């Protein structure tokens, strides 16, 4: 999958043609201060929180590339945040990484969407062998905060928990849709085979 422009980031959907198969997936909620990380089990059924990674914003003032990088290219793996996510991906042997792409309720792209797209691009540079997907996520942080509040967790001082819960929400949505898509593809293949037998 190719990343579009920062002004028009693409949205991925699970697809049997590009699915990497069995293995753990990571979900990433990119914020301006922290990055929530979640992981799935190897069968891709359940998402669970992993950790919250601090954003490395010192080298990217006002959206500029890190020092020493010209506007035409990136330094693979630049930034402590990218290095930590790459280490988590390696530790979990991730076969796919889902980065939440926040959009407004009208589907418009804003600063958060551009930030997520830029982060996904840097992650692709650092992990060229792992598919990085951008998944439409709207209000995951809000819904995660509400769910935690309803379960008795106070938002004050719990931002890291909320970031991880948002990453879980992003990843679980992807896993649920993937399961449905893969099941439909298997049913269609079975139907086609049974039709050939007649």
């Amino acid at each position: 999958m190719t990343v579009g422009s920062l002004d028009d980031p693409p949205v991925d959907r699970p697809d049997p043609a590009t699915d990497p198969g069995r293995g753990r997936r990571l979900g990433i909620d990119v914020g301006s201060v922290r990055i929530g990380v979640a992981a799935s089990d190897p069968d891709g059924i359940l998402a669970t929180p992993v950790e919250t990674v601090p954003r490395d914003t010192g080298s990217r003032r006002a959206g500029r590339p890190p020092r020493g990088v010209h506007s035409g290219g990136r330094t693979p793996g630049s930034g402590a945040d990218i290095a930590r996510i790459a280490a988590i991906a390696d530790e979990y042997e991730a076969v796919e990484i889902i980065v939440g792409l926040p959009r407004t309720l009208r589907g418009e792209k804003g600063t958060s969407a551009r930030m997520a797209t830029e982060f996904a691009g840097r992650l692709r540079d650092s992990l060229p062998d792992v598919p990085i997907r951008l998944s439409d996520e709207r209000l995951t942080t809000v819904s995660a905060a509400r769910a935690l509040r309803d379960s008795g967790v106070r938002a004050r001082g719990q931002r890291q928990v909320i970031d991880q819960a948002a990453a879980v929400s992003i990843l679980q949505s992807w896993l649920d849709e993937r399961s449905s898509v893969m099941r439909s593809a298997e049913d269609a293949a079975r139907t086609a085979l049974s039709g050939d037998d007649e």
Side-chain angles (χ1 to χ4, degrees):
M1 190 220 46
T2 308
V3 176
S5 72
L6 293 182
D7 293 329
D8 187 23
V11 174
D12 293 305
R13 304 290 296 271
D15 183 349
T18 59
D19 188 82
R22 186 176 188 274
R24 295 182 188 274
R25 279 130 174 103
L26 296 184
I28 307 290
D29 177 54
V30 181
S32 58
V33 178
R34 290 169 301 271
I35 302 160
V37 183
S40 76
D41 59 288
D43 292 319
I45 297 170
L46 184 65
T48 56
V50 174
E51 73 177 75
T52 302
V53 176
R55 280 299 303 268
D56 181 3
T57 57
S59 62
R60 291 184 314 281
R61 281 173 272 133
R64 293 189 187 114
R67 187 176 295 183
V69 177
H70 303 289
S71 59
R74 296 186 187 104
T75 302
S78 59
D81 48 5
I82 292 290
R84 180 61 193 139
I85 303 272
I88 294 169
D90 187 51
E91 176 185 341
Y92 280 78
E93 299 178 349
V95 297
E96 189 172 47
I97 298 176
I98 316 305
V99 177
L101 181 64
R103 295 184 176 205
T104 67
L105 290 176
R106 295 179 181 175
E108 298 166 348
K109 307 103 185 163
T111 303
S112 295
R114 284 191 292 275
M115 184 171 55
T117 303
E118 184 268 342
F119 187 85
R122 291 174 55 226
L123 201 52
R124 275 190 191 91
D125 288 346
S126 184
L127 296 167
D129 297 329
V130 179
I132 311 293
R133 318 285 191 201
L134 284 166
S135 179
D136 189 358
E137 57 109 340
R138 298 177 203 192
L139 300 178
T140 53
T141 301
V142 173
S143 61
R146 182 177 300 132
L148 288 170
R149 187 177 59 244
D150 291 348
S151 66
V153 176
R154 293 180 182 232
R156 179 178 291 171
Q158 298 296 324
R159 290 299 307 165
Q160 294 186 359
V161 176
I162 292 171
D163 294 329
Q164 290 177 36
V168 166
S169 179
I170 291 164
L171 182 55
Q172 192 63 56
S173 293
W174 180 271
L175 296 175
D176 292 345
E177 185 176 0
R178 175 183 178 266
S179 176
S180 176
V181 166
M182 298 303 279
R183 196 166 33 250
S184 294
E186 289 169 8
D187 290 346
R190 240 188 320 271
T191 301
L193 283 175
S194 66
D196 290 344
D197 294 340
E198 294 175 3

